Amino acid sequence: MHLDLDSFYAQCEENANPHLKGKPVVVCVYSGRTEDSGAVSTANYEARKYGVKAGIPIARAKKLLEGVDAAFVPMNHPYYEQVSERIMDILRTQSDAFEQASIDEAFLDVSARTATSFDAARDAALEIKNQLFTQENVTASIGIGPNKVIAKIASDQAKPDGLTVVKPEDVPNFLSLLPVSRIPGVGKRAEEKLTQMNVSTIRQLSSLSPTILVETFGKSLGGYIYRTSRGDDDEPVKERGQPVQFSRIATLKQNTRRAEEVLPVLTVLANSVSDKLKEHGLRCKSVAIIAILTDLTIRSRSRMLESPSSEGKIIESSARQLIQEFLQSNPEAVLRRLGVKASGLTMEAGQTDMSKFLAEQNQSGSSGT
Ligand code: TTP
Ligand code: CA
């Protein structure tokens, strides 16, 4: 699920100043040089009807709204941050995994709590919208899809107060007629290059060869555009700024320190961690074993791999060495439970985080706020 609050700063202002409700509201970043110099940070949907939008000069917005009972308010970022924090706390509790993507956007993995039912996910989204409205008096647009990039494109499909569900089997139809600019990270420059190649829809884009896209946009952006045009994305939803790790722990059939009993379990755990990494398109830089002893003390040993990997064999061989070293140097230790952990996770070679392109786009397309 991807959730994007509607005209976020403007909604915050309307809630702080209820007399603004119903009027066109323009949130301004005044530069201070002259009374009207500066740019529009955002405008509510009433103001957008007049053509007012983020990034245009305030003077131009005033012209567009000449004779209209509109409000021009200065941006108050610390206040929007407070509102955002409260909203993100609500959303976090409604997800299995959570990733805040900006002050007013977040990804929610709801796969487990909905048992991957798209109908249950729709109900969950309605419940979230309801909760945001009752608790914070804000509306949001939500997209639901089989992966992050489809959910993000879907959340932009029906704004404001929208809800768009794209089931896996509907992905090709959903994408086919959308303009290429709907792909997050495809900015003005990329769009122009594609127009020169006679490509305007995502369907046309998906018929280009990966080689051409990589030649035109470079390995990273080209590869990303190619995958996205086919609806492919396997980035995990992860809390930003926190190290992500995968681990698997099992209870042994009986307490033991005998290699012939320990190693087969280790193999299963290593392969399970490897599957999890591959499923998310990730590789790990280091592998650890977790040994839970009969007195329930927890011991661990870790090592860096020569290069990041998601291969079961590599994870298993590291884990084997670690457990053997551990048992040798702890002759009294008897194991009750055993775990394998992969950490220092990185994207598969050639893949780049969608968020990187979004950040770049935000930098080049912002109104200088
Ligand atoms: P957006 O989500 O892009 O815009 P929005 O929430 O105002 O409107 P909507 O999602 O309904 O289309 O950006 C979130 C906030 O970031 C926005 O409220 C104000 C701020 N912002 C700027 O200050 N400058 C900008 O150029 C943009 C695009 C946004
Ligand atoms: Ca928004």
Side-chain angles (χ1 to χ4, degrees), residues 4-10 29 40-43 45 48 54-55 75 103-105 159 365-367 369:
D4 181 353
L5 293 154
D6 303 317
S7 57
F8 180 53
Y9 295 2
V29 186
V40 170
S41 161
T42 195
Y45 280 78
R48 289 185 200 190
M75 179 165 88
I103 191 165
D104 81 329
E105 279 177 56
K159 269 188 150 293
S366 89
S367 60
T369 57

Side-chain angles (χ1 to χ4, degrees), residues 28-250:
C28 302
V29 186
Y30 292 103
S31 69
R33 240 172 292 142
T34 66
E35 200 191 329
D36 280 348
S37 65
V40 170
S41 161
T42 195
N44 68 359
Y45 280 78
E46 282 85 351
R48 289 185 200 190
K49 288 180 199 152
Y50 298 86
V52 178
K53 57 182 183 184
I56 68 168
I58 295 167
R60 173 147 171 70
K62 290 213 161 152
K63 276 223 180 71
L64 290 167
L65 286 167
E66 215 162 65
V68 180
D69 181 20
F72 289 78
V73 294
M75 179 165 88
N76 179 0
H77 206 265
Y79 170 60
Y80 314 143
E81 270 173 8
Q82 282 174 19
V83 179
S84 165
E85 266 179 43
R86 291 201 304 268
I87 291 173
M88 296 300 160
D89 285 344
I90 296 175
L91 300 179
R92 202 173 273 114
T93 65
Q94 301 288 3
S95 55
D96 308 326
F98 179 76
E99 176 176 347
Q100 180 170 353
S102 76
I103 191 165
D104 81 329
E105 279 177 56
F107 291 98
L108 289 76
D109 186 340
V110 293
S111 315
R113 63 185 53 217
T114 59
T116 69
S117 150
F118 280 74
D119 291 334
R122 178 191 290 274
D123 291 343
L126 289 171
E127 177 53 34
I128 287 170
K129 275 158 146 306
N130 190 28
Q131 209 176 350
L132 293 184
F133 196 72
T134 15
Q135 291 183 27
E136 294 293 338
N137 199 30
V138 291
T139 63
S141 297
I142 297 183
I144 297 173
N147 59 46
K148 282 167 73 177
V149 80
I150 297 297
K152 166 125 178 125
I153 297 171
S155 74
D156 211 25
Q157 185 73 3
K159 269 188 150 293
D161 203 13
L163 173 56
T164 305
V165 182
V166 183
K167 296 186 180 177
E169 62 270 27
D170 299 333
V171 167
N173 271 341
F174 171 70
L175 287 181
S176 67
L177 296 179
L178 295 179
V180 293
S181 58
R182 287 287 302 279
I183 295 181
V186 170
K188 283 236 148 45
R189 250 175 303 151
E191 194 185 353
E192 275 164 22
K193 278 191 194 167
L194 288 167
T195 308
Q196 285 164 13
M197 296 159 81
N198 277 325
V199 169
S200 62
T201 65
I202 299 183
R203 190 213 302 261
Q204 291 166 332
L205 183 60
S206 67
S207 67
L208 295 182
S209 76
T211 322
I212 289 192
L213 285 167
V214 166
E215 272 168 16
T216 314
F217 297 104
K219 197 172 163 197
S220 172
L221 179 59
Y224 162 79
I225 291 179
Y226 177 73
R227 287 190 301 277
T228 305
S229 72
R230 285 147 193 273
D232 291 343
D233 170 33
D234 50 13
E235 255 188 80
V237 173
K238 55 176 189 285
E239 187 87 47
R240 298 245 168 123
Q242 282 183 11
V244 183
Q245 57 187 42
F246 290 132
S247 57
R248 284 280 185 264
I249 297 185

Side-chain angles (χ1 to χ4, degrees), residues 290-301:
I290 303 157
I292 299 153
L293 308 183
T294 40
D295 64 356
L296 298 181
T297 54
I298 301 173
R299 310 282 295 275
S300 68
R301 287 272 187 286

